[in-house]
Amino acid sequence: MTAPPSPSDGDFSTLFNFLPIGAYRSSSEGRMLRANHALVRLNGYDTEDELLAAVNDIALEWYVDPARRSEFKRLLESQGFVRGFVSEIHRHRTRERVWISENAHGVRDASGVLRYFEGTVEDVTERMRDQKALRESEEQLRLITSHVPGAVFSVYVRRDGEREYRFLSTGIRDIYGFEAEDLMRTPSLLARYFHPEDQALLEKDRQAILAGQGNLETEFRVVLPDGTIKWISNRSSAVSSDAEGFLRVGMLLDITDRKAAEAALHASEALWKLALESAGDGVWDWNLATGEEFFSRGIKSMFGYDEEDIPNLSAEMDARTHPDDVPQMNADRQAHFEQRAPVYRNEHRILCKDGRWKWVLSRGMVIARDEDGRPLRMVGTHTDITEHKQGEAQQRALEAQLRESQKMEAIGTLAGGVAHDFNNLLAAILGNLVLAREDVGEQHPAQESLTEINRAAIRARQLVQQILTFSRRQTQEMLRQPLTPQVEEALGLMRSLLPASIKLNVRLSAASLPVLADATQMQQVLMNLCTNAWQAMEGRPGEITVALREVTLDASQGLQVGGLASGAYACLSVADNGPGMDEATQQRIFEPFFTTKAPGAGTGLGLAVVHGIVKAHRGAIALHSRPGEGARFDVYLPLASGGDAMPAVAAGAPAAPVVAPQGKHVVYIDDYEALVFLVGRLLRKQGYRASTFESGEAAMQWLRDHPQEKVDLVVTDQNMPGMSGVDVAREVRQLRPGLRVAIVSGHVNDKLLAEAHSAGVSDVLGKQDSMDALGESIRALLERETR
């Protein structure tokens, strides 16, 4: 019976049990006196009596680190209470580790003598995991932005103007001299450095942010502690907003050198022109009254023109300006003409003689006006900023790529987890289906329905395998082998599958191009890409081109195609002349279950599987497409050196069944109840003695309670709450040193193999496709033991 509440509980005893978080009362020595329903459930028990009877010493039985109990008591004794005390504990009954946050205080009688402690316990495991994931994500972003010039930042601006920096790259040190952590800790630190003359400009910028303006670009001055004055360019964009404020991302750049050059140019027109010509910039001198414009030799050569190619008229250069850039260029000119802007400044594209477009920064100033203030003469410069623009585009691409990589990783993790659990359900369905068909007999009317169930379950299992491939949880046989023969073999099969209206063009390298790859999966990549290409034709005639060549990527190219290291790669390309894709479709094309086909015409997993396989091969895939211009997928795989090798992971099941050793005793452990029931029935039907358990703890207790019971083999699942398969193996080695243990896992990798070997595991088996395969594996293990 639960202990009745003490008189001091008053009317709060019902609240005690109603609380959604754990609550308790304990003696000063650590003995539990009372526990509410939430705390009982947290520790894996059904009733308060069970928990109170089981817990003897909180410090030893609850805290993963017993020293946390000592720290808890020290805080209680010194302060009289504890708030937000976060620790890792064991669920008392299952020993599963979770994180909790505790609040507690001591209760004393009228004379000041401590009677007991009271407190609450909240499960914060999910919060701790989220914090860990966030730290890892921020570390990835920090590594990338450390290679970007300037300071990259993410800032949350509250509606009262207060700022909270969510991310700040280490480049801030090169600009201001302080560390990123200093500004993260004290967001107002930047305000101390603003030049007094630029305060109004910065206030205008702040008001624009609070008004919800999307993109901002501001240039201002800062004064460093040693008196140095720097010019800073601040470019930022709005990401999102809520009731509390606005989230923005941007970049700070030190433009002091550029500003110094601009100031020097304005000192004297003659010196200005001479300096710019010698620096490689082009100079122009525009007579606004006549339309004549002097273009320096530097301007014309900048775009590849000879002196006589362009007449000295402003209309000639304007005619070569990109049509999309003309409206803004005219608006910026007009703002300066009307003296709303102190100088003319504009970035636009100009058509070169060879047909290319170059970005220029055009800056100028009116140096003569008539008595009514109308501009008469304007001089200025053209600066080639094409590389700068390309760098900005590359930076935006890298940021988008990082976001896409994080999204795909999250989707893959979710898909893999769902597929793993679904695979267990299908195993139970298929296994019971086999037994049901045997039970009813071949002539039973239900056989037809059971056949249809089997067919549907097999299709579902194939779908699960594709999901596991996308999430990169499938085992692989990675061998050093030439890629060209694999492509040729896949193309041989592809030719027989393509419609007659599709022409297949093949351009393969004569070199073998050795890579570390799973041959089956690489052929699946090519088959999926070709299938996607001809399905995009939607029944119309078309062409598919498959090419294979060796390419060498430098560091910049490697970043652009997926963050690859520089070096030699095999590039497998599949191109079609179909309808192509718009930008929105390209952004989602590798997501699982995303498809542009009609309902029922595709699963949306083909390209997702390709993405998963390529990533698992340490490669990358790039897409090039425009509406109406077809699409091309480029798969990059690192070329293997002569010493490269990767061991194959065996599935664990033998090819041919052997006769079951009759009377052998098998202990089977799995946390999935349906599989435990099914495997136990299967083993007994095949002539084994079978003892089945739904947890490692239960199985180990049975072995301890039956020391004389002969057991020939223990088969255990690896991923279980509480004791894992490796934990079971270690415990078995202590209890019965000679007893063989086999582990079954859906994700066999080098880490698991190493841990299993150190624990004395005799065999590690991949998840079986059917109950028959599992039975054959168990028979083979026992047969090998008896030989």
Side-chain angles (χ1 to χ4, degrees):
M1 295 292 290
T2 302
S6 65
S8 62
D9 288 331
D11 292 335
F12 291 101
S13 59
T14 56
L15 177 62
F16 179 73
N17 279 318
F18 179 72
L19 285 174
I21 63 174
Y24 67 88
R25 177 180 295 168
S26 69
S27 68
S28 58
E29 295 81 15
R31 183 171 57 86
M32 189 73 71
L33 302 175
R34 291 295 310 278
N36 73 343
H37 296 327
L39 186 59
V40 170
R41 290 192 301 271
L42 175 66
N43 282 281
Y45 292 99
D46 296 323
T47 67
E48 180 184 13
D49 288 338
E50 290 178 341
L51 176 62
L52 296 180
V55 175
N56 295 314
D57 190 326
I58 295 176
L60 298 177
E61 298 175 351
W62 199 9
Y63 291 93
V64 173
D65 179 6
R68 293 296 290 167
R69 175 62 175 173
S70 300
E71 176 65 11
F72 188 79
K73 291 181 63 178
R74 186 189 67 78
L75 291 173
L76 274 175
E77 292 169 356
S78 63
Q79 301 180 10
F81 64 89
V82 174
R83 291 193 180 97
F85 190 80
V86 177
S87 306
E88 189 178 16
I89 67 164
H90 295 288
R91 294 187 193 275
H92 191 272
R93 186 173 189 178
T94 64
R95 308 309 292 165
E96 176 189 0
R97 291 188 176 191
V98 294
W99 287 89
I100 62 166
S101 175
E102 292 185 82
N103 302 289
H105 70 105
V107 178
R108 301 178 181 273
D109 59 19
S111 61
V113 176
L114 178 67
R115 296 180 58 195
Y116 47 77
F117 294 117
E118 289 182 338
T120 61
V121 178
E122 181 180 3
D123 188 339
V124 294
T125 305
E126 288 300 320
R127 187 179 77 193
M128 299 298 289
R129 289 174 180 167
D130 291 344
Q131 290 175 356
K132 180 182 178 183
L134 179 60
R135 288 194 298 271
E136 293 173 349
S137 175
E138 290 177 344
E139 180 60 23
Q140 291 177 354
L141 183 59
R142 188 173 292 107
L143 289 174
I144 292 175
T145 55
S146 65
H147 299 287
V148 177
V152 179
F153 64 86
S154 171
V155 63
Y156 185 77
V157 183
R158 303 187 189 281
R159 295 188 182 271
D160 61 2
E162 291 297 318
R163 296 180 174 230
E164 175 189 347
Y165 285 89
R166 303 282 177 84
F167 175 82
L168 187 62
S169 69
T170 55
I172 195 71
R173 183 195 311 114
D174 299 329
I175 299 177
Y176 287 92
F178 53 70
E179 300 297 331
E181 292 77 8
D182 298 331
L183 184 56
M184 299 277 281
R185 184 170 52 251
T186 311
S188 61
L189 183 60
L190 285 184
R192 305 174 190 174
Y193 291 78
F194 290 155
H195 195 288
E197 296 178 7
D198 292 341
Q199 291 288 346
L201 178 65
L202 294 168
E203 175 61 23
K204 180 180 178 182
D205 190 44
R206 187 179 75 91
Q207 292 299 330
I209 293 175
L210 297 179
Q213 185 168 335
N215 298 324
L216 288 175
E217 181 177 350
T218 308
E219 296 179 355
F220 56 91
R221 289 166 292 176
V222 297
V223 183
L224 302 185
D226 62 0
T228 301
I229 296 177
K230 285 186 177 183
W231 275 95
I232 307 300
S233 171
N234 180 8
R235 296 181 178 181
S236 67
S237 300
V239 175
S240 63
S241 64
D242 55 29
E244 300 297 326
F246 308 87
L247 180 64
R248 302 183 67 85
V249 296
M251 171 176 283
L252 296 172
L253 289 174
D254 184 346
I255 58 171
T256 305
D257 293 341
R258 194 189 81 194
K259 283 292 185 178
E262 291 176 2
L265 292 175
H266 287 293
S268 164
E269 180 180 346
L271 291 177
W272 179 63
K273 291 183 178 180
L274 178 62
L276 286 176
E277 284 286 3
S278 63
D281 285 4
V283 180
W284 48 266
D285 190 338
W286 183 11
N287 185 329
L288 283 85
T290 65
E292 294 178 307
E293 186 170 3
F294 162 76
F295 300 113
S296 71
R297 188 181 304 274
I299 282 187
K300 295 184 179 182
S301 62
M302 183 184 300
F303 307 115
Y305 295 106
D306 296 326
E307 180 65 29
E308 63 277 5
D309 288 339
I310 303 180
N312 288 327
L313 295 171
S314 61
E316 290 292 330
M317 194 61 72
D318 286 355
R320 290 168 171 81
T321 301
H322 197 288
D324 293 346
D325 300 338
V326 170
Q328 186 61 48
M329 180 180 70
N330 289 333
D332 290 340
R333 284 177 180 174
Q334 195 63 31
H336 179 55
F337 292 162
E338 296 174 0
Q339 303 186 56
R340 290 182 286 110
V343 296
Y344 163 68
R345 185 183 188 281
N346 178 261
E347 296 177 358
H348 57 268
R349 288 162 287 181
I350 293 182
L351 183 65
C352 298
K353 188 175 183 177
D354 61 6
R356 295 182 298 117
W357 291 97
K358 270 193 176 182
W359 277 98
V360 296
L361 169 61
S362 183
R363 290 169 290 190
M365 178 177 288
V366 172
I367 61 173
R369 295 178 181 269
D370 63 15
E371 57 185 14
D372 295 325
R374 287 189 295 266
L376 298 176
R377 183 185 176 196
M378 184 177 181
V379 295
T381 64
H382 276 344
T383 305
D384 185 351
I385 59 170
T386 304
E387 291 187 2
H388 176 69
K389 283 291 187 178
Q390 291 172 343
E392 289 181 340
Q394 181 177 346
Q395 177 190 332
R396 290 192 296 269
L398 287 173
E399 292 172 352
Q401 185 181 74
L402 175 61
R403 291 192 295 269
E404 183 68 15
S405 175
Q406 292 171 336
K407 179 183 72 174
M408 294 300 291
E409 190 67 26
I411 293 174
T413 301
L414 173 63
V418 172
H420 176 76
D421 292 340
F422 193 49
N423 219 17
N424 283 338
L425 295 172
L426 286 173
I429 292 172
L430 288 167
N432 279 291
L433 186 62
V434 171
L435 296 176
R437 297 179 74 171
E438 293 178 358
D439 291 343
V440 301
E442 295 182 0
Q443 304 304 319
H444 197 280
Q447 283 289 356
E448 182 177 357
S449 297
L450 293 174
T451 299
E452 289 303 314
I453 294 173
N454 183 73
R455 182 178 293 109
I458 291 297
R459 288 186 63 188
R461 188 175 64 190
Q462 292 170 347
L463 182 62
V464 170
Q465 295 306 311
Q466 291 190 66
I467 296 175
L468 287 171
T469 301
F470 161 73
S471 62
R472 307 195 295 279
R473 295 194 176 189
Q474 282 290 74
T475 56
Q476 297 172 311
E477 190 174 5
M478 304 287 278
L479 301 175
R480 185 181 186 275
Q481 50 194 310
L483 183 59
T484 302
Q486 298 176 34
V487 173
E488 290 174 338
E489 182 179 345
L491 287 174
L493 177 59
M494 199 69 231
R495 285 189 177 92
S496 64
L497 298 177
L498 287 177
S501 60
I502 302 298
K503 180 182 178 182
L504 181 63
N505 303 313
V506 179
R507 300 169 186 169
L508 303 184
S509 170
S512 60
L513 301 181
V515 294
L516 286 173
D518 182 302
T520 301
Q521 291 191 350
M522 290 316 304
Q523 291 179 2
Q524 183 180 1
V525 166
L526 183 56
M527 297 286 286
N528 285 12
L529 290 177
C530 288
T531 300
N532 182 76
W534 73 258
Q535 288 179 346
M537 308 291 187
E538 298 180 340
R540 297 184 295 270
E543 295 186 7
I544 297 175
T545 300
V546 177
L548 180 63
R549 66 191 187 281
E550 179 179 347
V551 297
T552 300
L553 302 179
D554 58 27
S556 175
Q557 293 169 326
L559 285 173
Q560 292 178 23
V561 299
L564 297 178
S566 58
Y569 290 81
C571 180
L572 174 63
S573 300
V574 177
D576 64 71
N577 60 349
M581 288 174 266
D582 58 25
E583 187 66 27
T585 301
Q586 293 182 52
Q587 293 296 323
R588 301 188 60 194
I589 196 66
F590 294 112
E591 291 183 13
F593 307 112
F594 173 76
T595 178
T596 58
K597 301 180 181 67
T603 64
L605 280 173
L607 292 178
V609 167
V610 168
H611 183 276
I613 292 175
V614 172
K615 287 295 184 183
H617 282 71
R618 296 180 299 170
I621 183 169
L623 168 61
H624 309 274
S625 182
R626 288 183 181 177
E629 298 182 12
R632 187 182 84 244
F633 291 88
D634 293 329
V635 174
Y636 295 88
L637 298 174
L639 291 180
S641 62
D644 286 342
M646 291 185 69
V649 178
V658 295
V659 177
Q662 296 297 313
K664 293 291 186 178
H665 188 183
V666 178
V667 170
Y668 181 79
I669 309 169
D670 197 302
D671 63 316
Y672 184 36
E673 180 182 0
L675 274 182
V676 171
F677 173 78
L678 177 61
V679 173
R681 185 180 174 194
L682 172 71
L683 293 175
R684 296 182 188 100
K685 192 169 185 178
Q686 292 180 347
Y688 298 104
R689 292 177 58 212
S691 298
T692 58
F693 302 92
E694 295 178 18
S695 71
E697 291 83 356
M700 294 307 98
Q701 188 60 49
W702 184 87
L703 286 175
R704 283 190 289 269
D705 293 343
H706 300 81
Q708 304 304 318
E709 187 75 30
K710 184 178 184 302
V711 177
D712 299 285
L713 176 66
V714 174
V715 180
T716 176
D717 186 34
Q718 165 62 11
N719 296 315
M720 299 183 294
M723 295 182 71
S724 67
V726 172
D727 294 334
V728 168
R730 293 193 181 102
E731 187 73 16
V732 168
R733 187 162 63 176
Q734 295 294 324
L735 294 174
R736 300 192 183 187
L739 179 55
R740 296 182 65 192
V741 178
I743 288 179
V744 179
S745 175
H747 186 35
V748 179
N749 53 33
D750 292 340
K751 180 181 179 182
L752 174 58
L753 292 173
E755 291 179 352
H757 177 74
S758 66
V761 175
S762 57
D763 296 273
V764 178
L765 311 176
K767 281 282 187 181
Q768 306 298 321
D769 289 338
S770 66
M771 289 298 101
D772 288 341
L774 178 61
E776 290 172 5
S777 297
I778 291 174
R779 288 198 297 272
L781 291 174
L782 290 171
E783 178 67 16
R784 196 165 63 205
E785 179 187 19
T786 59
R787 291 177 180 174

